[in-house]
Amino acid sequence: MEPAKTNPRTEELLRRASQDDESAVAELLTMHRSKLRRMVEIRLDRRLAARVDPSDVVQEALITATKGLPNYAAKRPVSFYPWLRVIALNRLVDLHRRHLKAERRSVCFETPMLNAHLPDESRMDLAQRLLDDGTSPSRLMQRAELLARANEALAKLEPGDREILVLRYLEELPAGEVAEVLGITERTVWRRHARAIERVSAVLGRNTE
């Protein structure tokens, strides 16, 4: 699978970073800080909220990325943000394992997509966004009941399909980056996205008579 096309500014910064331009490295990493923080906040187990600051996770990931940037720039296995995201996600995985090691059921980061671990609050946020996106006829139900049904529908989706919705609606990644994150084609992303939306809609519409 070909890497998604990197935007021109990122390409320019990568070129300069490969020539040891420290200002380019700083800008390149900083421009993705907010996206990384959003990803960490979405994935962070709420039991760690008092012990783990998402900003610290991101900062540690950026330090690691700085060290690995020359090798990345030389090989470019994927586009830049998916590469950076993996570094942050690995750091988050380590933190979950360290702090929740006594609660094995909570550490669900064993699959390549890491789709098994999504805090209840994040799944509810996803349900809210799907409703706001016009996935279902909210006028036919009380809002609270509709939201509960959307959350239930998401819980019943195949993990891979749910992960595509998480990446698209919560992490707000373009389809090309979703494809790279999951190791599938962009066409497959759209096909599975449509399937997931259809199944959520079907559950929501089941009792709308």
Side-chain angles (χ1 to χ4, degrees), residues 1-7 10 32 35 38 79-82 85 163-190 193:
M1 182 179 66
E2 290 295 324
K5 186 177 180 180
T6 305
N7 71 61
T10 298
H32 295 290
K35 288 173 67 176
R38 181 164 62 245
S79 58
F80 183 69
Y81 179 71
R85 181 184 179 278
E163 181 70 358
I164 284 175
L165 297 183
V166 172
L167 292 168
R168 289 287 291 142
Y169 290 93
L170 295 185
E171 293 195 35
E172 300 177 359
L173 299 185
E177 288 186 355
V178 172
E180 286 193 291
V181 167
L182 300 181
I184 58 180
T185 66
E186 190 169 338
R187 181 177 180 180
T188 300
V189 168
W190 286 119
H193 176 275

Side-chain angles (χ1 to χ4, degrees), residues 10-37:
T10 298
E11 288 286 358
E12 170 63 17
L13 291 172
L14 282 171
R15 184 189 64 77
R16 288 167 48 196
S18 68
Q19 298 172 353
D20 298 323
D21 185 329
E22 294 183 2
S23 65
V25 172
E27 183 179 345
L28 189 61
L29 299 179
T30 300
M31 68 189 293
H32 295 290
R33 184 185 294 271
S34 62
K35 288 173 67 176
L36 288 178
R37 181 183 171 87

Side-chain angles (χ1 to χ4, degrees), residues 21-89:
D21 185 329
E22 294 183 2
S23 65
V25 172
E27 183 179 345
L28 189 61
L29 299 179
T30 300
M31 68 189 293
H32 295 290
R33 184 185 294 271
S34 62
K35 288 173 67 176
L36 288 178
R37 181 183 171 87
R38 181 164 62 245
M39 184 276 291
V40 171
E41 289 174 337
I42 290 166
R43 309 282 177 173
L44 182 66
D45 191 297
R46 298 308 186 263
R47 288 168 292 179
L48 297 184
R51 290 178 280 178
V52 177
D53 186 333
S55 293
D56 291 340
V57 178
V58 171
Q59 183 60 30
E60 291 168 3
L62 294 180
I63 291 172
T64 299
T66 300
K67 297 176 182 177
L69 191 55
N71 186 57
Y72 166 79
K75 297 181 179 179
R76 302 286 289 276
V78 294
S79 58
F80 183 69
Y81 179 71
W83 173 77
L84 191 59
R85 181 184 179 278
V86 166
I87 294 173
L89 199 52

